[in-house]
Amino acid sequence: EEQEGPYVFVMAIVKRVHFDEDVPYYTVLRADTGTEQRAENAWMEPLTDYHGIQAATRAAHETVLSATYRSVSAREQHAIRALSVKP
């Protein structure tokens, strides 16, 4: 079966393993929001590469504004700063 994106990936830590009719599922702690949620084994992909873990950790702690700010020009960054300080 083929599936198409876009895909959204979330870094999480497995907190508990549960079994429902011999099929495991997990309670995970999301790195971005700090909330717990259920995750199915088929949805999960382990992070084993050091650089991948570091990149995922940085991404989990970035806000939409900081991600946007990092990817725009200096002129646009100035405009974002100006907008963010207005009451």
Side-chain angles (χ1 to χ4, degrees), residues 8-64:
V8 176
F9 293 91
V10 174
M11 185 169 149
I13 298 168
V14 174
K15 300 300 278 185
R16 289 183 291 285
V17 180
H18 311 275
F19 292 92
D20 186 17
E21 297 182 18
D22 298 325
V23 178
Y25 65 93
Y26 306 90
T27 298
V28 298
L29 180 66
R30 291 177 58 130
D32 59 343
T33 62
T35 58
E36 289 188 352
Q37 73 178 57
R38 178 182 169 143
E40 303 291 335
N41 191 39
W43 305 344
M44 298 170 63
E45 183 72 32
L47 286 172
T48 56
D49 175 75
Y50 173 79
H51 297 292
I53 293 168
Q54 295 303 311
T57 302
R58 277 193 309 277
H61 296 283
E62 259 189 1
T63 64
V64 172

Side-chain angles (χ1 to χ4, degrees), residues 67-86:
T68 302
Y69 185 79
R70 187 173 39 80
S71 67
V72 298
S73 71
R75 179 181 231 163
E76 292 168 319
Q77 289 177 15
H78 177 71
I80 291 170
R81 281 195 302 270
L83 287 173
S84 64
V85 295
K86 290 191 178 195

